[in-house]
Amino acid sequence: MKHFLHWIYTCLLLVGIPFAAIGQESPSDRYYEAFPTELTTRYYFSRKYTAWQVGDKTGGNTYRFEPNSTLNMGVGATYQNLTLNLAYGFDFLNPDLGQGDSKYLDLQAHMYPKKLVIDFFGQFYRGYHVANSALPGSASDRFTVLPDMHVRKLGASVQYLFNGEKLSLRAAFLQNEWQKKSAASALLGFEMYGGTTYNEGGMLSPSLTNEQIGRYDRSRFLEFGPNAGYVATLVIKRHFFLTGSVSTNLGLGYLSSFEGGQQETSWQVTPNLFVRGFAGYNSRHWSVNVNYVHNRVNLPSTTAYDNTIMTGNYRFNLVHRIAPGPKLGQSLGKLDSFLKSLRNRGNKPR
């Protein structure tokens, strides 16, 4: 659905119940400041995507299939461990460029507890396009639309942040904290991804390649393994910041593709990439920033193809922190007490 409403994709206790409040009564106060009693409000623009890339070994070409996901405008708020964002892809932000319509449900949760970096992915897309400039023999600058092409991906990544006492990724991503001094940290964790692709006319149909030969029309994949990385924040004059994170994964992967009733299965160890970038201005009450998250999963190769799935999210945020009024503050206090009771109950020895 071209104008898809991202109505509660982050109404998920984003760093939720199992984790303690961040940055209080610790040495981290020298490096970043938390605002546990304030409401972090935001006005933002964002776009998510899940692209499927096929490298054709026979023809020597690479095809990148993109959905027509919308640029969304929305508002949101964060209080303690709860975040809610509401956004919509308005027509004036999304002119018709001949890329067709996409129907999709894109669930991404990027969570930053004090010592962890947690990511969840749930991508369900139908309707893709490919730039004609990438097709053999095409002089057009328009697009070829594949309205029935499906891509589905489920996955998760969990990483330990070794220097969480000094480095806050919540300051960069959720803006409910303020990083005041430069800091860096190593990352170590594990990730897993699985999913399917399908297009009745073939993922690389004769209309795309100008070759009258069979092409696989569906595949399924699973990949898992350890990861390691590094993240750093450069703070300039206490207010301006640049944050970058890079991690790589060596995943044991399985891919099965189907072509004309024939199945080909491949097992390989492949390297993957997860990058994040944040930049902006932060102060006691205001923040302006941009951020980008990109997850690239290189799947096992088959005899004829190299397959890659890429998921991303980029955003612009204008943020203002406010003290909630008496009634709202009382309600939020009750909600916070409820979450703490659930967390404490879950931490009791059994």
Side-chain angles (χ1 to χ4, degrees), residues 35-303:
F35 305 100
T37 63
E38 296 192 6
L39 189 66
T40 300
T41 62
R42 66 181 59 85
Y43 170 69
Y44 70 97
F45 295 88
S46 73
R47 180 178 180 259
K48 299 178 180 180
Y49 64 88
T50 294
W52 181 261
Q53 183 172 287
V54 180
D56 181 6
K57 297 180 180 179
T58 302
N61 298 303
T62 298
Y63 306 88
R64 177 169 170 139
F65 300 95
E66 298 269 7
N68 190 14
S69 56
T70 56
L71 174 64
N72 301 290
M73 180 173 65
V75 295
T78 296
Y79 182 81
Q80 294 281 10
N81 296 322
L82 177 66
T83 292
L84 172 64
N85 290 322
L86 302 172
Y88 187 74
F90 294 96
D91 288 347
F92 70 89
L93 293 174
N94 298 278
D96 186 0
L97 300 178
Q99 299 167 318
D101 291 329
S102 296
K103 297 180 179 180
Y104 61 95
L105 175 63
D106 190 315
L107 303 173
Q108 296 184 39
H110 307 287
M111 301 176 283
Y112 304 100
K114 189 172 185 179
K115 289 283 190 178
L116 294 172
V117 179
I118 304 173
D119 302 278
F120 291 107
F121 298 96
Q123 275 69 47
F124 306 89
Y125 280 80
R126 176 181 178 180
Y128 277 75
H129 65 271
V130 60
N132 284 345
S133 58
L135 304 181
S138 175
S140 172
D141 60 355
R142 301 296 289 174
F143 305 93
T144 294
V145 177
L146 296 87
D148 296 320
M149 180 175 173
H150 294 70
V151 175
R152 297 183 176 93
K153 172 190 171 184
L154 295 172
S157 170
V158 179
Q159 295 178 301
Y160 183 75
L161 181 69
F162 285 89
N163 198 19
E165 296 291 338
K166 296 181 179 179
L167 178 65
S168 169
L169 283 173
R170 291 167 67 91
F173 190 80
L174 291 175
Q175 304 90 39
N176 62 341
E177 295 178 354
W178 174 12
Q179 185 86 36
K180 296 182 176 181
K181 295 177 63 177
S182 300
S185 177
L187 298 164
L188 186 65
F190 188 88
E191 59 192 73
M192 175 183 290
Y193 308 100
T196 62
T197 64
Y198 172 74
N199 189 44
E200 184 176 357
M203 301 301 289
L204 291 181
S205 64
S207 63
L208 294 179
T209 63
N210 294 327
E211 297 178 15
Q212 298 300 319
I213 60 176
R215 298 290 185 173
Y216 81 99
D217 56 18
R218 65 188 189 278
S219 67
R220 57 175 179 254
F221 61 89
L222 176 67
E223 192 163 307
F224 56 90
N227 60 41
Y230 192 77
V231 56
T233 293
L234 173 65
V235 177
I236 304 171
K237 296 184 178 180
R238 289 171 61 87
H239 293 287
F240 298 94
F241 70 91
L242 293 170
T243 299
S245 172
V246 178
S247 64
T248 186
N249 156 263
L250 280 179
L252 175 61
Y254 158 88
L255 182 131
S256 183
S257 63
F258 300 84
E259 179 180 333
Q262 301 296 316
Q263 178 179 355
E264 181 181 358
T265 299
S266 176
W267 285 88
Q268 292 177 10
V269 175
T270 58
N272 300 319
L273 184 66
F274 207 145
V275 297
R276 308 168 205 258
F278 313 88
Y281 171 89
N282 213 343
S283 68
R284 178 64 181 81
H285 296 290
W286 290 93
S287 177
V288 180
N289 60 80
V290 294
N291 60 62
Y292 179 63
V293 176
H294 178 81
N295 174 244
R296 180 186 181 99
V297 181
N298 297 306
L299 300 171
S301 299
T302 62
T303 303

